[in-house]
Amino acid sequence: MDYHKETILILDFGSQYTQLIARKVRELGVYCEIYPFNIGLDKINSMDPKGIILSGGPRSVTEADAPQCTDGIFNLKIPILGICYGLQLITKFFGGEIDKSLKREYGKAHIFFDEDDGLFKGIKDGDIIWMSHQDRVFKIPEGFKILAHSDNSPYAAIKKIEDKIYGVQFHPEVHHTTKGKQILKNFLYNICKVKGLFSPRSFVELAVERIREEVGNSKVLCALSGGVDSSVVATLINKAIGNNLICVFVNNGVLRKNEVEEVLDIFEGKLHINLKYVNAEEKFLSALKGVTDPEKKRKIIGRLFIKIFEEEASGFGDMKYLAQGTLYPDVIESISFKGPSATIKSHHNVGGLPKKMKLKLIEPLRELFKDEVRIVGKELGLTDNIVYRQPFPGPGLAIRVIGAVNRERLSILKDADSIVRDEVERNAKFRHIWQSFAILIPVKTVGVMGDERTYANVIALRIVESEDAMTADWAKIPYEILDKIARRIINEVPGVNRVVYDISSKPPSTIEWE
Ligand code: XMP
């Protein structure tokens, strides 16, 4: 079933919660796309959305240059739900009044109903809602009715009597609105009348069909890193075109412990994917010899990777496509009205390849959020080991050995890092952790082991929680786990006699130490 047939359009007015709306809608089984608030009517019509959600936003509709969507959407007879700024926009458009209220309303409030409506089926008087606004509706437009109020807002929810145009002052998409998901569900299923066609399985079916259609009998090249995105891309394309997919897996010498064996075992051994393994460890390590500047390390690794990848690819002859693990947040970034912000994608390994190699890009995950990629990975039969793998930087352990990289330091770091992985990444209890890893600080400090003084390296632990790596906070890991990690590293890894925990957040620090 083509889930695009019942797409929900989300117009983004700059709210920090816009992506959350999209994720909730999709969790409810409905495909949706986010676009900047000012896209034209032609574009909207071409999508034929079954409903439109206007997001919140940081601005005030009373400002002269406030973000506006095309007026035309209010005549489309498509159900609309305006959230916060969205509600105020609807109010202003239809001639109501907005009050620049002096009192900000932020946080918990209770909803009370003035009228029954399908939007609030299953929600009771007194249920908790989450407010975050300064302006508020002062007078609702003619032709509208009040559906609900809150402790502080007389117009917590309104509706146009003749059309399915709704506005809510609170944020149903945030976790704190306890029945927020039910409200969104009601909007989708009761108001927009969707069937709910979107699921990991329907995604896989459609993606396989589309890849076959697009690629035909041509060959597709894929750089496999063992990370979740490239693994899911490879497995999906393999399902679609089998041996016409050729994966190249380059060992750059700065992978994690047992990474090579694991990747080969899964992709070659279990999934029988056409895989070319290139052991370039020696080349990378000699290129990195004596290099201490992290930017130089990155450049050396990036360039060498491209060189080796190109060499390998040219050996296959008639490649037409290059598969890439672009995800939906990157797509939104690139179309967003907010302009380009620094994202982790600027680090992408294979960026720059297609131009030189004249390959067409194929990006089967460009509709998905990261958590959806993981679910699709499971649907495709990938093991938890791959599916819940944390992000790992292209330049790998080279930027986690501070200073010069050599085999001895890498070996120490690999062993220490593997212990951190055992205790955190491989522990299902810690799936909320964004990244957890070790850093080798080749500064010697004194220790005592048995009767002997030691003079050995320091290992730093970096364990952070984050949504998207743009900001991060150090994880409040239980002391027993930290204790176990420290003891294990010092006892099991020769060359380390001290373990420290990094308690800085990003910003002002970064996740990697470099
Ligand atoms: P920072 O250290 O800037 O890292 O807070 C943010 C996120 O990006 C990852 N990272 C990289 N990923 N190639 C990548 O593919 C890189 O060169 C690179 N550098 C940092 C980092 O692990 C974190 O998730």
Side-chain angles (χ1 to χ4, degrees):
M1 261 305 213
D2 188 350
Y3 49 79
H4 297 97
K5 292 205 174 98
E6 42 174 54
T7 297
I8 295 291
L9 168 64
I10 300 170
L11 291 183
D12 182 14
F13 290 88
S15 164
Q16 53 176 328
Y17 300 134
T18 304
Q19 290 200 21
L20 205 52
I21 304 174
R23 279 162 55 186
K24 289 270 154 83
V25 169
R26 289 174 178 211
E27 275 168 35
L28 289 163
V30 183
Y31 183 69
C32 61
E33 289 187 5
I34 300 173
Y35 278 92
F37 63 89
N38 54 358
I39 57 164
L41 212 49
D42 287 354
K43 174 75 193 166
I44 296 175
N45 282 327
S46 74
M47 291 171 69
D48 188 22
K50 291 290 163 277
I52 300 176
I53 299 180
L54 311 177
S55 83
R59 302 283 299 276
S60 165
V61 293
T62 58
E63 292 165 23
D65 60 345
Q68 305 264 5
C69 52
T70 164
D71 288 352
I73 68 164
F74 296 113
N75 298 321
L76 288 175
K77 301 282 171 209
I78 296 174
I80 295 178
L81 174 64
I83 297 175
C84 198
Y85 184 92
L87 157 78
Q88 287 148 21
L89 206 63
I90 290 171
T91 305
K92 187 174 161 214
F93 177 80
F94 286 101
E97 285 174 37
I98 308 294
D99 172 26
K100 265 188 107 38
S101 68
L102 298 172
K103 203 171 135 220
R104 258 187 103 205
E105 193 182 6
Y106 183 80
K108 198 164 112 171
H110 299 90
I111 192 162
F112 300 96
F113 294 100
D114 299 287
E115 199 153 329
D116 271 351
D117 192 279
L119 185 64
F120 295 111
K121 203 166 162 226
I123 322 297
K124 292 195 312 290
D125 266 349
D127 278 343
I128 292 169
I129 53 175
W130 197 257
M131 293 284 193
S132 173
H133 65 104
Q134 180 135 21
D135 294 0
R136 67 177 192 189
V137 175
F138 171 64
K139 185 168 159 256
I140 62 169
E142 230 165 273
F144 276 71
K145 62 181 176 181
I146 306 166
L147 295 182
H149 63 273
S150 71
D151 326 53
N152 256 319
S153 291
Y155 311 116
I158 62 170
K159 176 184 190 282
K160 190 163 187 289
I161 295 163
E162 298 282 307
D163 293 309
K164 294 177 174 178
I165 297 181
Y166 291 83
V168 294
Q169 182 60 77
F170 58 95
H171 289 271
E173 70 277 25
V174 304
H175 170 73
H176 299 84
T177 296
T178 42
K179 295 202 184 131
K181 203 163 169 186
Q182 180 66 41
I183 297 171
L184 290 173
K185 187 175 178 187
N186 290 340
F187 177 67
L188 300 172
Y189 288 84
N190 298 348
I191 315 291
C192 303
K193 306 277 186 211
V194 296
K195 295 193 190 72
L197 303 176
F198 183 68
S199 68
R201 179 160 301 166
S202 66
F203 171 83
V204 170
E205 280 167 13
L206 194 64
V208 163
E209 215 174 278
R210 284 208 233 148
I211 294 166
R212 282 190 190 138
E213 227 167 72
E214 179 175 356
V215 169
N217 289 322
S218 309
K219 293 210 164 74
V220 178
L221 186 66
C222 175
L224 189 69
S225 71
V228 54
D229 303 344
S230 71
S231 299
V232 173
V233 165
T235 318
L236 191 60
I237 299 181
N238 181 63
K239 193 174 161 85
I241 60 167
N243 273 344
N244 274 348
L245 167 73
I246 291 148
C247 290
V248 176
F249 173 45
V250 179
N251 176 358
N252 59 9
V254 285
L255 300 174
R256 302 173 99 172
K257 191 175 178 179
N258 297 330
E259 188 106 60
V260 170
E261 295 76 6
E262 280 173 20
V263 170
L264 293 180
D265 175 54
I266 293 169
F267 291 92
E268 226 171 26
K270 301 208 171 68
L271 296 170
H272 309 294
I273 283 180
N274 209 346
L275 181 65
K276 172 80 197 273
Y277 169 60
V278 187
N279 186 355
E281 196 172 5
E282 199 53 57
K283 280 190 189 159
F284 278 90
L285 294 189
S286 61
L288 284 169
K289 200 165 174 199
V291 180
T292 54
D293 177 350
E295 274 309 306
K296 279 201 186 124
K297 289 182 191 172
R298 281 172 187 283
K299 290 218 170 81
I300 290 170
I301 293 172
R303 283 197 199 119
L304 195 53
F305 178 85
I306 290 182
K307 185 164 169 278
I308 291 173
F309 192 79
E310 275 176 346
E311 280 167 12
E312 291 302 324
S314 65
F316 295 119
D318 55 341
M319 284 293 156
K320 201 161 159 203
Y321 292 90
L322 177 73
Q324 211 166 16
T326 312
L327 303 191
Y328 192 49
D330 310 313
V331 177
I332 307 172
E333 278 304 325
S334 59
I335 58 170
S336 166
F337 70 95
K338 282 175 253 173
S341 52
T343 66
I344 45 174
K345 274 297 139 154
S346 56
H347 310 299
H348 228 255
N349 281 335
V350 283
L353 274 178
K355 241 188 258 152
K356 281 180 91 176
M357 297 172 69
K358 299 197 176 65
L359 291 171
K360 279 196 205 162
L361 268 190
I362 174 163
E363 302 172 308
L365 306 183
R366 56 182 289 125
E367 287 183 346
L368 300 187
F369 288 108
K370 188 85 176 184
D371 41 353
E372 293 172 330
V373 173
R374 294 193 206 278
I375 303 172
V376 165
K378 289 205 111 176
E379 176 70 31
L380 288 165
L382 289 171
T383 55
D384 283 3
N385 186 17
I386 296 268
V387 166
Y388 293 107
R389 193 164 288 213
Q390 296 170 355
F392 184 64
L397 299 183
I399 55 167
R400 294 180 183 171
V401 168
I402 307 304
V405 179
N406 57 41
R407 280 182 193 275
E408 188 203 342
R409 288 179 175 175
L410 280 172
S411 161
I412 294 174
L413 181 59
K414 281 183 189 179
D415 286 342
D417 182 68
S418 170
I419 292 171
V420 185
R421 293 188 86 185
D422 273 353
E423 303 300 335
V424 185
E425 188 176 357
R426 294 184 183 115
N427 184 339
K429 244 189 10 217
F430 294 123
R431 289 214 176 125
H432 62 286
I433 296 293
W434 175 264
Q435 273 172 304
S436 49
F437 55 88
I439 299 124
L440 176 71
I441 313 172
V443 167
K444 302 275 165 58
T445 71
V446 176
V448 51
M449 269 188 182
D451 292 331
E452 287 199 24
R453 267 166 75 88
T454 56
Y455 197 49
N457 298 289
V458 181
I459 284 286
L461 304 178
R462 187 69 166 143
I463 309 179
V464 295
E465 291 178 24
S466 173
E467 281 292 316
D468 53 9
M470 303 297 288
T471 60
D473 200 5
W474 62 279
K476 316 299 179 288
I477 285 283
Y479 284 164
E480 311 85 77
I481 302 285
L482 289 175
D483 185 52
K484 189 164 175 208
I485 294 173
R487 279 173 198 280
R488 280 195 60 194
I489 291 177
I490 293 169
N491 286 326
E492 295 172 30
V493 186
V496 179
N497 66 356
R498 193 176 296 275
V499 173
V500 297
Y501 191 37
D502 180 353
I503 53 167
S504 17
S505 60
K506 172 182 181 174
S509 304
T510 51
I511 297 176
E512 303 287 345
W513 279 37
E514 313 264 329

